[in-house]
Structure formats: C-alpha cells, structure tokens
Amino acid sequence: MVQDNYERILEKIAKSAGLEKEEIERRVEAKRAKLSGLISKEGAAQVIAAELGISFDNEKLKIEELLSGMRKVNVVGKIVNVSPVRSFTTKRGDEGKVVNLFIADETSNVKVVLWDTNHISLIEKGEIIEDKVIEIINATMRDNELHLGSFSELKLSTETFGKIQTEKIISEKNISDFGINDNTSVRAFIVQSFEPRFFNVCPECKKKVNINEDSFVCGEHGNVIPEKRALINLVLDDGTESIRSVLFHDTLVSLGITELDNPERLLNQREDLLGKEMVFLGNVRMNTYFNNPEFIINGVKSVNLDELIGKLENK
Ligand SMILES: [Zn+2]
C-alpha cells in the first residue's frame, strides 16, 4: 500500500516535470543518500517536487497521497464521522467555532478540521452530514490533519465510492527503517525515561501557547487561560536501533504515568516503564535542537501475542 502511494507520487512528479519516472526515482534516492536516509521516500519525493517547481495545486489527490505540509490540497471523500460543533470565545471577545470530521476514500482516511463559520454553517444546517461525499478545495495538511480556513472551499460532491478505507493505515516498521514524516508503528522496549517537562496549551485547539508578559496567547484564539500539560522523553529500542521518543499527556496515562506532581511516586512509575515492551504508534519528526530524528508517540498498545504468533507463522 505504502509502495503504491510512493509509485503514484513518482508518476505524478514525472508527468508534471516532463521527465522519466526513473529519473525522478534516481533524484529521490540521491536526496535520501545526501540526507543519510533520514527522510522517507515520500518525503524526499516531496522535496524533489518542490525543487522542480512542481506543486500539486488544482490536482485532486487521493487521501493516501496527502503528505504533511502540503498546501492548496484538493480532495474528495465520504464523511464517516462528524464531531459536534464546538464554540469558544477568545479573550478579545471573538466568537469562534471548530468542527472535526473524518473523510475516507478507497485509499485511506484523514481527519478534517473546519475553522470557517461558513463551512461550519453547512453542518449546522444539516447539509453536510455523515455518509455525504464532499469536495475540499484549497486546504492545508498540518501534521496529519487537513485544515480548512476561510480561503478553502467545501461543497457536496456527486462522486460515489464503493468500498472506502475506514481503518487507519499504519505500516509497521523497524526503527532502523524510520524516515522523517513517517506515520508508523513499532514494537519496542522502553530502555530509558527522563524527567517530565511541563508546558501550557490552548484549551480550545490544544496547541502550545506563547507567554506574552503576563498573559498566554494562542496563535488562533488570542488570550486564553491555558491548560497545563506534561511530556516525557523516552528512548525506545526494537533491536534494530534506538530512538529518542516523546510521550504526551494522554498517552502518559495509558502507560501508567499518573503521579506527575509527586516526584517520589513518579520516579517509581518511571522505573516501572523500563524494560516494558509495547506497540508504539506515532510520527517521526526531525528534532531541530538535537538535529536527530525523534518519534512523537500518539498511541500505545499492548503487545498482542496472538497477532504476533500469527505473523511469525505466516513468515
Ligand atoms: Zn487555540
């Protein structure tokens, strides 16, 4: 599946650039070699596309072709889930609303975030609901979410889908094969854990807030009363390599880290983590401070032995 996606990206770039697919592939490999393999094939292809001055503007993409950082994204998908409309008021007195929905096509699915009141009113009026097919024009891929602002378009589409992919597609990889921007899972041991670090997030969008004199400012929501969050750095090792990883608030709880305000009990909980083998899901990012890849964990699962045995038997 991942390979098909890469092949399709290559074909698209080749077609737009008027070059052979093999030539694009050669450039992608050269780029990866230059970056010591720290970038995934898909990521490197994106860099090559940018270098060739190619954008995917005005082109309809399949959901599995969406890559973090893409702008002016056009995509069609069937709505599989719509969250309730959430309202918020910033300290400046502005009224804001946000809606999350999930859309799927035959290749994959993606979370869509609506910020524009015109788009949200389509949901409030019941024109855009679950099971409808929608067309999105001019959206931005922020991390692994598709964000629609006031310059984006949202409308019903007449396209139809047969079987849609509603399961999240996450490939399992060895740490030694991790590339930047990979959305992946790995079965690994926790070999080290560090002191927690605390920071403040916006209560609405959960993004980190900036401190401006005595007030906390969210880029999207202005002055806010922040929520305190914690993160812990871990080192994971799967036998192929180790990687520095980041575990945030919600996933900390699922790993049994609850005593963030009690240093002594926290130390015990952290010690209990060592040697624990789990399946970690997340994204590989470049940590610009350490200039090293880092695994941002967004989910933890216990190792499913039946599944594992099944896999080994099928080898
Ligand atoms: Zn915010």
Side-chain angles (χ1 to χ4, degrees):
M1 193 61 95
V2 169
Q3 189 61 25
D4 291 347
N5 183 22
Y6 172 63
E7 290 291 319
R8 259 218 296 282
I9 293 169
L10 280 186
E11 272 160 26
K12 280 204 162 129
I13 297 170
K15 208 173 130 204
S16 305
L19 294 168
E20 292 292 318
K21 196 177 119 191
E22 289 67 30
E23 170 62 17
I24 304 296
E25 200 163 14
R26 196 189 58 73
R27 292 189 190 196
V28 168
E29 288 310 325
K31 179 65 68 183
R32 291 188 78 203
K34 200 174 157 196
L35 296 170
S36 322
L38 285 178
I39 193 163
S40 67
K41 281 182 178 182
E42 289 86 350
Q46 214 184 343
V47 174
I48 297 298
E51 284 178 358
L52 287 165
I54 295 165
S55 74
F56 295 110
D57 297 12
N58 302 320
E59 200 178 340
K60 215 182 278 173
L61 297 170
K62 289 289 165 201
I63 293 174
E64 72 168 353
E65 294 171 323
L66 301 177
L67 298 169
S68 194
M70 276 186 171
R71 288 169 185 282
K72 298 188 179 179
V73 170
N74 304 334
V75 71
V76 173
K78 188 172 183 177
I79 299 176
V80 289
N81 177 266
V82 185
S83 79
V85 178
R86 284 194 293 130
S87 305
F88 54 86
T89 314
T90 65
K91 265 201 173 170
R92 286 182 307 217
D94 299 331
E95 190 75 33
K97 286 179 184 177
V98 63
V99 172
N100 299 325
L101 44 97
F102 276 87
I103 59 167
D105 65 9
E106 59 281 83
T107 66
S108 188
N109 54 76
V110 68
K111 182 178 174 183
V112 178
V113 186
L114 308 180
W115 296 100
D116 185 81
T117 46
N118 293 316
H119 300 150
I120 291 170
S121 76
L122 295 174
I123 292 184
E124 290 169 326
K125 283 186 277 184
E127 286 174 25
I128 286 186
I129 50 172
E130 221 173 279
D131 285 336
K132 294 272 185 193
V133 175
I134 53 169
E135 181 171 1
I136 289 168
I137 298 160
N138 204 5
T140 302
M141 277 300 281
R142 210 188 277 166
D143 297 327
N144 287 304
E145 301 171 351
L146 197 55
H147 286 249
L148 275 74
S150 51
F151 294 105
S152 314
E153 245 186 276
L154 171 67
K155 55 188 183 190
L156 290 170
S157 164
T158 50
E159 231 173 89
T160 52
F161 291 99
K163 199 176 168 358
I164 51 169
Q165 179 58 256
T166 52
E167 294 274 298
K168 196 70 204 165
I169 302 160
I170 294 174
S171 58
E172 206 177 312
K173 278 190 179 179
N174 291 331
I175 293 175
S176 58
D177 295 330
F178 275 15
I180 300 299
N181 283 338
D182 278 355
N183 189 13
T184 185
S185 78
V186 65
R187 191 167 60 93
F189 290 97
I190 299 170
V191 294
Q192 211 178 332
S193 85
F194 297 87
E195 281 285 329
R197 285 190 284 140
F198 296 93
F199 59 100
N200 293 297
V201 299
C202 168
E204 288 303 329
C205 62
K206 311 296 178 197
K207 294 215 177 73
K208 213 164 170 173
V209 292
N210 296 312
I211 300 168
N212 185 6
E213 288 169 15
D214 286 338
S215 49
F216 295 92
V217 184
C218 165
E220 200 99 38
H221 301 113
N223 285 357
V224 291
I225 298 161
E227 288 173 10
K228 192 178 167 192
R229 291 293 162 111
L231 67 81
I232 283 184
N233 285 106
L234 301 172
V235 176
L236 299 183
D237 196 309
D238 71 343
T240 67
E241 215 169 273
S242 65
I243 189 165
R244 194 182 159 89
S245 309
V246 189
L247 200 61
F248 286 98
H249 223 78
D250 302 335
T251 24
L252 282 174
V253 176
S254 54
L255 261 186
I257 300 284
T258 52
E259 298 281 356
L260 287 164
D261 296 320
N262 184 324
E264 209 169 304
R265 285 194 215 146
L266 177 65
L267 191 63
N268 286 335
Q269 290 185 338
R270 276 177 50 208
E271 276 170 1
D272 286 343
L273 286 184
L274 298 182
K276 212 169 191 170
E277 188 183 27
M278 308 280 286
V279 176
F280 298 90
L281 297 87
N283 295 295
V284 185
R285 304 269 175 81
M286 185 53 107
N287 180 316
T288 48
Y289 185 77
F290 293 107
N291 203 27
N292 264 327
E294 189 174 62
F295 193 43
I296 313 294
I297 298 166
N298 50 39
V300 190
K301 288 195 300 188
S302 58
V303 177
N304 183 333
L305 286 177
D306 294 339
E307 202 177 294
L308 194 64
I309 289 162
K311 234 182 238 178
L312 292 172
E313 281 173 348
N314 286 330
K315 270 194 178 159

